[in-house]
Amino acid sequence: MRTKPLSGFPEFLPAGRIAELAVLDTLRETFELHGFAPIETRAVETMDALTRKGEITKEVYTVRRLHAVEGEAPKDDLGLHFDLTVPFARYVQEFAGHLAFPFRRYQIQKVWRGERPQEGRYREFTQADIDIVGDNTLAAHHDVEVALVMLEAFERLHTRFGLPPVVMHVNNRKLAEGFYRGLGVEDHLAVLQRVDKLDKIGPDAVAKLLVDDLGISPEAAAKCLELATIQTADTSFVEQVRALGVENPLLDEGLAALAEVVDAAAKAVPGRLVADLKIARGLDYYTGTVYETELTGFESLGSICSGGRYDSLATDGKRTWPGVGISIGVSRILAPLIGKGEFVASRSVPTCVLVAVDAEDTRVASNDVAARLRARGIPTEVAPKADKYGKQIRYADRRGIPFVWFGDTVKDIRTGDQSPADPDTWTPPAEDLTPSIARG
Amino acid sequence: MRTKPLSGFPEFLPAGRIAELAVLDTLRETFELHGFAPIETRAVETMDALTRKGEITKEVYTVRRLHAVEGEAPKDDLGLHFDLTVPFARYVQEFAGHLAFPFRRYQIQKVWRGERPQEGRYREFTQADIDIVGDNTLAAHHDVEVALVMLEAFERLHTRFGLPPVVMHVNNRKLAEGFYRGLGVEDHLAVLQRVDKLDKIGPDAVAKLLVDDLGISPEAAAKCLELATIQTADTSFVEQVRALGVENPLLDEGLAALAEVVDAAAKAVPGRLVADLKIARGLDYYTGTVYETELTGFESLGSICSGGRYDSLATDGKRTWPGVGISIGVSRILAPLIGKGEFVASRSVPTCVLVAVDAEDTRVASNDVAARLRARGIPTEVAPKADKYGKQIRYADRRGIPFVWFGDTVKDIRTGDQSPADPDTWTPPAEDLTPSIARG
């Protein structure tokens, strides 16, 4: 059998997977500390559910029984989910009668996008999402909450593993809509679509589009651009917006909501969240707060953690479930770092102790030592072969296993220190019990 | 949007998912205690890799970009993996230069089978596999080891969560092959294929097949059947086989290898492993020890944990990687129990404490209490609305949250006990910190 990697489907060596698991464990720990319940949805959804939003259709992977391909009429009725929001919306509707609202869930799963692979784009990747959904209503303070939970998670990843710090950029769609309405422009989405191109085409070109396409006055267009350049780490953005002299009740609402998020974050995680009035995000989708997040020093990755408030995550015609949620692109952060060996575990196995084997007929004694160490939670292997001790040490060394147990002694193979030890009482230093994870 | 469940794709409510995660955590803990390294492989493999073993072809789900379906020439080049062995074999070969052998890995992932759904059959399910692979050689003691690791995992699931105990049935293909050869039958696989039907068609019909199809003497056929009925929880099977009067060196080898597994298991996990000389399993695949496992009281599920020794997990023509591995069908065990509500968590959220909110303008104070509890590892939510206290208690009660925090007091809502408490020192009873998992 010949094998070759599939472009866009990253896979890690064990030391990389150990590092990835440590990150996923930290996310789960954070989400559970905040009372988010875990769910897992199936990998497939009906094509009907997946293609509701026309623009992503081309990225869907269809799934079909091979047998069906050969014999039955083809029905493209299933596809792999391309995010965790569509499946969650379906899950909420399907199980609504069994869920308690507001319903807080986290979901850490693979998603798939059938796009042409390119640098930094994956066809299979892991996302970690939190969402809070209400039954018809959902209080505004949850918009603050989800941002703080994600920032707390990133703070843990930063302090525990040395992953880069983040800056979350937050805006509120009501703010922009109210501002444009205050300027007399009714089609606020048309303005937003054009302002959203600011980073790509620059302010002059955007101003031209606003004037030429939408018939907005050059003065009003200039104000739209001024609004988009406002970015503050505290609530001073409110004054800056006020100074533009536009008045509208929806603008007031947006300003107040955004100020609440910024204010809470400034207290809880100083320096990690900014009001950034150019953030648009998911034009047809979000209706209030929107979030994007940059990894400091890795801004070229784009937003690694995004989301927002939606008035209707799901609806069955009678009931509507509004929600707010944020999604971390775990693979987008980790795959480049792990792939380049910049973020891996200190060893390629969980093993803390290798118990040496003196001769094959005394393997049972080594197994017994290992069982006693494991009974106290110490990950332990027994040497696969009664080789010369040097070779057994090499087995440990190649895997990064720090300790080798010989008879009644234990040796730290990094320092060469050897000392008498009892498998019922000996305990490794806490930092050696499990692999340590750090940026290299 | 209308939704309906997809047959064969089980999904759980949060309390079920919490229970499933507790099981998966326990498996991972056991595997890591024994030094198995985690890997995760991509969900897709090339169809070439998946269809190598002709018989399962019809169960494969093909995966194709929707865009490709519409515009490009169809190429069925990718499919979802239907087990974790094919992907592991490919991974070993692809990354051999970066792995240290013997390589011990565990892998807990979803797999997919495109079969027509029926009771107890899933199209998407979770497997938990351990394998040990060597570079050209692999010592026999690993056959003992993988069985004991799996039995240790099941023992934890039994004592921690009340899942049913298991009995692992073990055989050795060399034993049967040597026995048949000792009877003068060269085509041992042909015999095995027929003996494998014993449970389905009964001994008389099998004897007739052996005599009619293979031209074996009625006496030899009777011995083949006698061999297949031998089942012992200790090494007494050796004497029972010897009493049949058949001699062959391969038989001796098989008897010794199986005796070693049975002997070790009888000491480590008494009563959980039996020698069962009718077990055939994966006819073209396994070459030595084979394992099947029944869940006591749920024998109708079939084997929930199976595997064996293979002389060649993978080969690139020059190198060959022999291995031994066992796979737990996690969904096969849990989906029926969780689906019927017989195995769920004590609450539907991780939350241990709900901090009540007196009025919306004091929410900040409640957030502060929650943060201090979380800082000490106590999963905590803040009430979503400053409702009357009765309603806030009901919020907790509906989710199974045991404690509600009011001002300077904490109330156990199950008993009604209320006492003064400080968020920097109060600690819940250990059994209430996380949801408890048990068979209901």
Side-chain angles (χ1 to χ4, degrees):
Chain A
M1 180 161 90
R2 282 190 217 157
T3 65
K4 59 175 191 309
L6 285 179
S7 178
F9 292 89
E11 288 184 332
F12 303 137
L13 288 169
R17 175 63 177 163
I18 291 173
E20 186 189 34
L21 278 175
V23 168
L24 297 177
D25 287 345
T26 298
L27 296 178
R28 174 179 167 190
E29 174 194 341
T30 306
F31 302 157
E32 293 188 348
L33 273 176
H34 286 264
F36 287 82
I39 71 162
E40 186 177 60
T41 58
R42 47 176 151 83
V44 299
E45 296 292 330
T46 61
M47 287 303 290
D48 182 47
L50 291 173
T51 56
R52 202 157 300 267
K53 297 178 209 314
E55 54 175 320
I56 45 70
T57 300
K58 66 179 182 301
E59 295 182 358
V60 174
Y61 271 120
T62 62
V63 167
R64 191 189 291 169
R65 292 174 62 215
L66 180 59
H67 181 67
V69 170
E70 287 166 348
E72 302 169 14
K75 282 193 296 180
D76 284 335
D77 55 350
L78 294 178
L80 295 173
H81 56 224
F82 52 79
D83 70 7
L84 300 177
T85 304
V86 170
F88 178 52
R90 191 261 314 152
Y91 180 97
V92 163
Q93 201 186 327
E94 190 169 319
F95 297 104
H98 304 277
L99 302 174
F101 293 95
F103 175 50
R104 309 153 63 82
R105 83 87 173 80
Y106 76 90
Q107 194 169 351
I108 302 175
Q109 280 185 250
K110 287 285 177 68
V111 306
W112 294 269
R113 295 197 184 169
E115 44 186 343
R116 297 193 180 279
Q118 50 181 298
E119 181 70 34
R121 290 280 180 173
Y122 302 107
R123 294 175 151 197
E124 175 177 67
F125 53 99
T126 300
Q127 279 191 196
D129 285 27
I130 59 172
D131 284 86
I132 304 173
V133 290
D135 188 356
N136 288 318
T137 61
L138 183 72
H141 57 78
H142 294 298
D143 294 28
V144 182
E145 184 180 13
V146 293
L148 294 188
V149 172
M150 283 307 196
L151 288 172
E152 186 179 313
F154 280 113
E155 215 56 21
R156 281 204 175 89
L157 297 179
H158 177 55
T159 54
R160 278 187 193 168
F161 308 129
L163 284 176
V166 299
V167 179
M168 187 177 276
H169 295 249
V170 184
N171 194 3
N172 191 300
R173 297 285 291 270
K174 289 179 181 167
L175 194 163
E177 180 178 345
F179 188 88
Y180 303 152
R181 289 193 190 285
L183 283 169
V185 181
E186 282 308 303
D187 190 354
H188 63 97
L189 277 181
V191 181
L192 208 55
Q193 274 160 8
R194 284 156 184 84
V195 173
D196 199 27
K197 297 179 181 173
L198 188 58
D199 282 347
K200 278 188 192 155
I201 64 174
D204 293 345
V206 170
K208 192 166 163 17
L209 286 176
L210 292 174
V211 172
D212 293 354
D213 293 3
L214 305 179
I216 294 174
S217 73
E219 295 71 29
K223 290 207 171 183
C224 292
L225 283 165
E226 277 190 79
L227 183 78
T229 58
I230 294 172
Q231 187 182 122
T232 70
D234 56 23
T235 55
S236 61
F237 73 91
V238 178
E239 277 175 54
Q240 294 187 35
V241 176
R242 294 286 182 218
L244 299 175
V246 177
E247 299 283 339
N248 181 274
L250 199 60
L251 170 61
D252 296 344
E253 208 182 306
L255 284 169
L258 184 56
E260 200 184 336
V261 175
V262 172
D263 198 40
K267 282 170 191 151
V269 276
R272 301 297 192 218
L273 187 144
V274 296
D276 183 347
L277 305 199
K278 75 171 174 299
I279 302 293
R281 190 112 225 131
L283 288 167
D284 307 333
Y285 199 69
Y286 297 118
T287 49
T289 314
V290 286
Y291 315 89
E292 287 192 357
T293 311
E294 286 182 340
L295 200 61
T296 306
F298 294 81
E299 288 77 6
S300 64
L301 291 176
S303 178
I304 47 85
C305 172
S306 315
R309 154 77 67 152
Y310 26 83
D311 284 343
S312 172
L313 171 76
T315 179
D316 64 2
K318 282 170 289 183
R319 281 165 91 180
T320 295
W321 292 272
V324 62
I326 312 191
S327 172
I328 300 181
V330 178
S331 300
R332 187 177 284 200
I333 301 169
L334 294 185
L337 289 170
I338 293 176
K340 288 175 197 150
E342 288 175 17
F343 184 66
V344 288
S346 58
R347 49 195 203 238
S348 64
V349 290
T351 317
C352 176
V353 180
L354 177 75
V355 182
V357 176
D358 198 39
E360 282 304 327
D361 59 11
T362 62
R363 175 172 294 280
V364 168
S366 298
N367 287 344
D368 178 61
V369 168
R372 286 150 77 188
L373 290 169
R374 284 184 204 115
R376 294 187 300 110
I378 302 167
T380 304
E381 276 181 62
V382 175
K385 201 173 168 194
D387 279 321
K388 286 180 184 168
Y389 279 163
K391 217 167 168 189
Q392 298 192 47
I393 288 174
R394 201 164 144 251
Y395 177 98
D397 188 46
R398 286 190 64 186
R399 290 158 177 80
I401 300 171
F403 297 99
V404 177
W405 196 282
F406 300 97
D408 300 323
T409 63
V410 66
K411 177 174 188 154
D412 183 329
I413 66 168
R414 299 161 300 186
T415 62
D417 290 349
Q418 190 160 353
S419 47
D422 177 344
D424 293 327
T425 55
W426 178 83
T427 299
E431 67 272 21
D432 288 330
L433 184 64
T434 56
S436 57
I437 319 289
R439 273 182 80 199
Chain B
M1 180 161 87
R2 280 191 217 158
T3 66
K4 60 172 195 291
L6 283 180
S7 178
F9 292 89
E11 287 184 332
F12 304 137
L13 289 168
R17 175 62 179 164
I18 291 173
E20 186 188 35
L21 279 176
V23 168
L24 297 177
D25 287 346
T26 299
L27 296 179
R28 174 179 166 190
E29 174 193 341
T30 306
F31 302 157
E32 293 187 349
L33 273 175
H34 287 264
F36 287 82
I39 71 164
E40 186 175 60
T41 58
R42 47 177 148 84
V44 298
E45 297 290 331
T46 60
M47 287 304 289
D48 182 47
L50 291 172
T51 56
R52 202 159 299 268
K53 298 176 208 315
E55 55 174 320
I56 44 70
T57 299
K58 66 179 182 300
E59 294 182 357
V60 173
Y61 271 120
T62 61
V63 167
R64 193 189 291 168
R65 292 174 62 214
L66 180 60
H67 181 66
V69 171
E70 287 166 348
E72 301 168 16
K75 282 193 297 178
D76 284 336
D77 56 350
L78 294 178
L80 296 173
H81 56 223
F82 53 79
D83 70 7
L84 301 177
T85 305
V86 169
F88 178 52
R90 191 261 313 152
Y91 181 95
V92 164
Q93 200 186 327
E94 190 168 318
F95 296 103
H98 303 278
L99 302 174
F101 293 96
F103 175 50
R104 310 152 64 82
R105 83 88 174 77
Y106 76 90
Q107 195 169 349
I108 301 176
Q109 279 185 249
K110 287 285 177 65
V111 305
W112 295 270
R113 296 199 183 167
E115 45 187 343
R116 298 194 177 278
Q118 50 182 297
E119 180 71 36
R121 291 280 179 174
Y122 301 107
R123 293 177 151 197
E124 175 178 65
F125 52 100
T126 300
Q127 280 191 194
D129 285 26
I130 59 170
D131 285 85
I132 304 173
V133 289
D135 189 356
N136 288 318
T137 61
L138 185 71
H141 58 76
H142 294 299
D143 293 31
V144 182
E145 184 179 13
V146 293
L148 294 188
V149 172
M150 283 307 197
L151 288 171
E152 186 179 313
F154 280 114
E155 215 56 23
R156 282 206 174 88
L157 297 179
H158 177 55
T159 54
R160 279 188 192 167
F161 309 129
L163 283 176
V166 299
V167 179
M168 185 177 278
H169 296 249
V170 184
N171 195 4
N172 191 298
R173 297 285 290 271
K174 289 179 182 168
L175 195 163
E177 181 178 345
F179 188 87
Y180 303 152
R181 289 195 192 283
L183 284 169
V185 183
E186 283 308 302
D187 191 354
H188 64 96
L189 277 180
V191 181
L192 210 57
Q193 274 161 9
R194 285 157 183 84
V195 173
D196 200 28
K197 297 180 180 172
L198 188 59
D199 283 348
K200 278 188 193 156
I201 64 176
D204 294 345
V206 170
K208 193 166 163 12
L209 286 177
L210 292 175
V211 172
D212 293 355
D213 292 5
L214 306 180
I216 293 174
S217 72
E219 295 71 28
K223 289 205 172 183
C224 290
L225 283 165
E226 278 190 80
L227 184 79
T229 59
I230 294 173
Q231 188 182 121
T232 70
D234 55 24
T235 56
S236 62
F237 73 90
V238 178
E239 278 175 53
Q240 293 186 35
V241 175
R242 293 288 183 215
L244 298 176
V246 177
E247 299 284 340
N248 180 275
L250 199 61
L251 171 60
D252 296 345
E253 206 183 308
L255 284 170
L258 185 55
E260 198 185 338
V261 175
V262 173
D263 198 41
K267 283 171 190 150
V269 276
R272 301 299 192 217
L273 186 145
V274 295
D276 184 346
L277 304 200
K278 74 170 175 299
I279 302 295
R281 192 111 223 133
L283 289 167
D284 308 331
Y285 198 68
Y286 296 118
T287 50
T289 313
V290 286
Y291 316 88
E292 288 193 355
T293 311
E294 287 184 338
L295 200 61
T296 306
F298 294 82
E299 288 78 4
S300 64
L301 291 176
S303 177
I304 47 84
C305 173
S306 317
R309 152 78 66 152
Y310 26 82
D311 285 341
S312 172
L313 171 77
T315 179
D316 63 3
K318 283 169 288 182
R319 282 165 90 179
T320 295
W321 292 272
V324 62
I326 312 191
S327 171
I328 300 181
V330 177
S331 300
R332 188 178 282 202
I333 301 170
L334 294 185
L337 290 170
I338 293 175
K340 289 173 195 151
E342 289 174 16
F343 184 68
V344 288
S346 58
R347 48 194 204 239
S348 65
V349 289
T351 317
C352 176
V353 179
L354 177 76
V355 181
V357 175
D358 199 39
E360 283 304 328
D361 58 13
T362 63
R363 176 171 294 280
V364 168
S366 298
N367 288 343
D368 178 60
V369 169
R372 286 151 76 186
L373 290 169
R374 285 185 204 115
R376 295 187 301 110
I378 302 168
T380 304
E381 276 180 63
V382 175
K385 200 174 169 193
D387 279 322
K388 286 179 184 168
Y389 279 164
K391 217 168 169 187
Q392 298 192 48
I393 288 175
R394 203 166 140 249
Y395 176 97
D397 188 47
R398 286 190 65 186
R399 289 157 178 81
I401 300 171
F403 297 99
V404 177
W405 197 282
F406 300 96
D408 299 325
T409 64
V410 66
K411 178 175 190 154
D412 182 331
I413 65 168
R414 297 161 302 185
T415 62
D417 290 349
Q418 190 160 350
S419 47
D422 176 344
D424 293 327
T425 57
W426 178 83
T427 300
E431 66 272 21
D432 287 331
L433 184 65
T434 56
S436 57
I437 319 288
R439 275 182 78 198

